[in-house]
Amino acid sequence: MASINYSLIEHPFVSKSSKDGFIEVKNKATDESLAFVYSIKQEELKSIIAKSKVAQKAWAKLMATQRADILLKWYNLMLENKQELAEILTQEMGKPLAEAQGEIVYAANFIRYFAEECRRIEGDIIQPVQENQKIFVLKQPVGVCGAITPWNFPSAMITRKAAPALAVGCSMIIKPATQTPLSAYALVNLAYKAGVPQDLLQVTTGNASMISETLCSSDIVKKISFTGSTEVGKKLIAQSANGVKKLSMELGGNAPFIVFDDANLDAAVQGILASKFRNSGQTCVCANRIYVQDGIYDELAKKLKEEVSKLNVGNGMDSGVTQGPLIDLKAVAKVEEHIADATKKGAKILLGGKRHERGGSFFYPTILCDVTKDMIVAREETFGPLAPLFRFKTDEEVIEMANDTEYGLAAYVYTTNMKRLWRVNEELEYGIIGTNTGIISTEVAPFGGVKQSGFGREGSKYGVQDYLEIKYMCVNLT
C-alpha cells in the first residue's frame, strides 16, 4: 500500500482496504493501491440531494460575514496542509509534487477570493417611471448546485466551483472524477473542520452516468457546473433541459499558440514549455497547435528542442521530476495515434515520439515539425506531451488557421508589435488569450470559452454571478 495521510481523507465513503461496492484508487506512477471509495446508489444520492436543500436554506440565512469567516478558515487550513494535500494529489493524479503544491495554493486562492466577495453581492435601486413607486433589484442564491469535476486539476476545479457557491449562500454536491476522488474528500474534510456544515458540501463517487443524470434530472438541484469534454457536456445540457437549470460548461479546447517573427524567441520557448508541458500536456488550456512564422521557424524549433530535452520524466513524488505519467493508457494511445497520423502525412519527429522506458503510462515529451492542417492533431485536442509546430507566413493566414476549429477556450500570442497584438487578439475567437505569457489561470480573472468550448465563467467577480438569481421588486407606496 502506498504512503498517504489517511487522516485527511477519513470519511464513511473511503476505505483503506477493498470492500464490496467500493472502487479502487491507484497511484498513477506505481500502480499501487491508495484507497477505495464507495460507489453510491441512486436512492442514497437522492437522500443527499434532499439534505442539501435543507442545509442550503439555513446557510443562506447567515450573514455574509459569517460565511466569509468560515471560508477564510477553510483557506487557511488548506495552506496549513499544503504538503499532505499535494502528496495525495500527486499520487492519485500523477503530476510532479511541485506542480501539485502549486495547484493547492491556486485552489486555496479561489476560497480566499470568494470569501472576500461575500460582502459584495449587491443589488440595485432603479429610478422609477411612475410617482410613488420604487424599483429594487435583489441577488439571491440559486440554491442546491452540482459540480462535476475532472481528474487533471482535482483540487482547483472543486474550489473554483464550490467557493463561489458557498460564498453567496448555495450548497454544493461534488462529483469528482473516478480516477482522482481522494483530493475531493480531503478538501471537504478541511471544509468541515472550518465550520462548513456537512450536508452543505458533499462528495459523491461511483457510476458517473448515474450520478450526473440524477443531478441533472433532480427538481431540487438548480444549477450544474461541469468541466470536461464537449461530448459529455452536450449530454449534460440535454439532461438538464427539462428542468431548465442554470449551467456552467467549461468544455474542450484546441488552443493555438502563435509566435510572430518579431517575438522574443527565448520568452516564446519558455511560454511553450509552460503552456504545453505543464501537467504533461493534460490541461484544457494547453497549447495544442503551435504556429511559428516562417522566418523564425527553424530557430525556434532548435531552441525548443534544447529546452524540452531537459525535462525529466518520472514519478512525481521524486525530486527533480518535471513530467509525470499520463492519466492512463488510453491517454497514451491517443498521443501515439496523433503522432502516427502526422508522420504518415509528412511530419517529422524532432524529439521523443515514444513511450518511456519506465513503462506504464509514461511518455517522452515530443516535438513534431512540418505539421500541416490536414493532420488529426490540427483538429483534435491531444491532451498529452506533444508539441506540433506549424508554419505560417502572414497575419491573415495564421488568424484563419487559429480560428478554424469548433473550439474557443484559450489562445496564445507572442509579439512585440503592439498594433499587431491588438488586431490579432480582437480577431481571435477565444474566451481567453495569453499574450507574451504561457500561464493565464488566476482566481481574479474570468475563465471560460466560446463556441463549443462552453459558456459561463469561473473565477473573478463574473464567476460568482452564475450562482445568483436576480429578483426585481416593484413597490407602489400608495
Side-chain angles (χ1 to χ4, degrees), residues 329-341:
L329 291 177
K330 283 177 61 178
V332 173
K334 187 173 185 181
V335 175
E336 290 178 326
E337 177 191 359
H338 285 195
I339 293 171
D341 174 78

Side-chain angles (χ1 to χ4, degrees), residues 8-11 14 37 74 78 85 88-89 92 103-104 147 149-150 153-159 162 173-192 201-205:
L8 270 180
I9 58 173
E10 189 174 355
H11 191 280
V14 179
V37 295
W74 187 17
M78 281 192 65
L85 290 171
I88 291 171
L89 196 161
E92 70 171 343
E103 180 180 339
I104 297 305
T149 62
F153 287 89
S155 292
M157 295 303 96
I158 288 174
T159 60
I173 300 167
I174 301 163
K175 193 279 169 196
T178 304
Q179 299 99 319
T180 56
L182 303 183
S183 291
Y185 285 109
L187 290 183
V188 298
N189 280 345
L190 292 177
Y192 301 155
L201 181 66
Q202 302 183 71
V203 175
T204 61
T205 45

Side-chain angles (χ1 to χ4, degrees), residues 50-337:
K51 290 178 181 178
S52 185
K53 180 180 180 180
V54 175
Q56 186 272 321
K57 295 295 184 183
W59 178 255
K61 290 178 181 178
L62 294 180
M63 297 292 292
T65 50
Q66 293 175 291
R67 293 197 298 270
D69 288 344
I70 292 172
L71 288 176
L72 286 171
K73 288 179 185 177
W74 187 17
Y75 161 76
N76 286 317
L77 285 170
M78 281 192 65
L79 294 187
E80 289 171 16
N81 292 274
K82 180 179 76 171
Q83 182 65 24
E84 291 83 0
L85 290 171
E87 289 175 1
I88 291 171
L89 196 161
T90 289
Q91 291 184 74
E92 70 171 343
M93 190 265 140
K95 69 177 60 176
L97 188 59
E99 282 192 29
Q101 291 169 336
E103 180 180 339
I104 297 305
V105 174
Y106 175 50
N109 284 342
F110 282 109
I111 300 173
R112 180 178 65 176
Y113 180 88
F114 287 110
E116 295 164 348
E117 284 294 290
C118 281
R119 300 179 69 178
R120 290 187 276 276
I121 308 305
E122 298 167 346
D124 288 296
I125 299 176
I126 297 175
Q127 290 299 317
V129 295
Q130 296 183 31
E131 292 182 7
N132 298 316
Q133 190 179 76
K134 298 294 182 182
I135 295 177
F136 302 93
V137 175
L138 304 180
K139 292 183 180 180
Q140 297 180 311
V142 67
V144 178
C145 303
I148 302 170
T149 62
W151 50 261
N152 57 340
F153 287 89
S155 292
M157 295 303 96
I158 288 174
T159 60
R160 195 163 78 179
K161 299 175 190 300
L166 269 58
V168 303
C170 296
S171 61
M172 178 65 83
I173 300 167
I174 301 163
K175 193 279 169 196
T178 304
Q179 299 99 319
T180 56
L182 303 183
S183 291
Y185 285 109
L187 290 183
V188 298
N189 280 345
L190 292 177
Y192 301 155
K193 190 174 180 180
V196 174
Q198 291 195 17
D199 287 340
L200 189 80
L201 181 66
Q202 302 183 71
V203 175
T204 61
T205 45
N207 184 289
S209 296
M210 182 277 289
I211 294 173
S212 60
E213 187 171 356
T214 302
L215 291 173
C216 291
S217 61
S218 170
D219 292 332
I220 295 174
V221 178
K222 302 301 182 183
K223 174 184 167 59
I224 298 292
S225 178
F226 171 69
T227 298
S229 71
T230 297
E231 180 184 9
V232 174
K234 289 178 179 179
K235 292 179 181 178
L236 299 180
I237 293 169
Q239 290 171 359
S240 301
N242 283 341
V244 195
K245 297 189 191 306
K246 287 177 73 76
L247 299 172
S248 296
M249 293 281 142
E250 196 260 284
L251 307 178
N254 187 1
F257 191 109
I258 304 169
V259 186
F260 289 99
D261 54 11
D262 58 21
N264 179 324
L265 285 195
D266 291 331
V269 167
Q270 291 305 313
I272 294 170
L273 287 175
S275 174
K276 174 71 260 183
F277 294 102
R278 182 167 62 107
N279 204 18
S280 298
Q282 300 172 116
T283 80
C284 53
V285 294
C286 196
N288 201 62
R289 298 167 289 153
I290 302 171
Y291 295 108
V292 186
Q293 203 153 19
D294 196 51
I296 58 167
Y297 186 95
D298 293 336
E299 185 179 359
L300 183 135
K302 179 182 176 182
K303 287 178 176 286
L304 183 62
K305 179 181 179 180
E306 291 174 359
E307 294 301 314
V308 174
S309 64
K310 298 174 185 177
L311 297 177
N312 184 20
V313 178
N315 185 334
M317 295 293 288
D318 294 340
S319 177
V321 167
T322 56
Q323 298 283 288
L326 300 190
I327 190 65
D328 54 30
L329 291 177
K330 283 177 61 178
V332 173
K334 187 173 185 181
V335 175
E336 290 178 326
E337 177 191 359

Side-chain angles (χ1 to χ4, degrees), residues 106 157 160 249-258 275 278 283-286 289 402-403 407-413 424-435 437-442 445-451 453-454 456-460:
Y106 175 50
M157 295 303 96
R160 195 163 78 179
M249 293 281 142
E250 196 260 284
L251 307 178
N254 187 1
F257 191 109
I258 304 169
S275 174
R278 182 167 62 107
T283 80
C284 53
V285 294
C286 196
R289 298 167 289 153
N403 287 338
Y407 301 108
L409 183 55
Y412 304 85
V413 177
V424 172
N425 280 359
E426 288 180 354
E427 292 189 29
L428 288 174
E429 298 167 353
Y430 291 85
I432 311 167
I433 300 177
T435 303
T437 179
I439 300 293
I440 53 179
S441 298
T442 170
F447 190 102
V450 298
K451 299 193 285 188
S453 285
R457 292 297 182 268
E458 294 185 328
S460 80

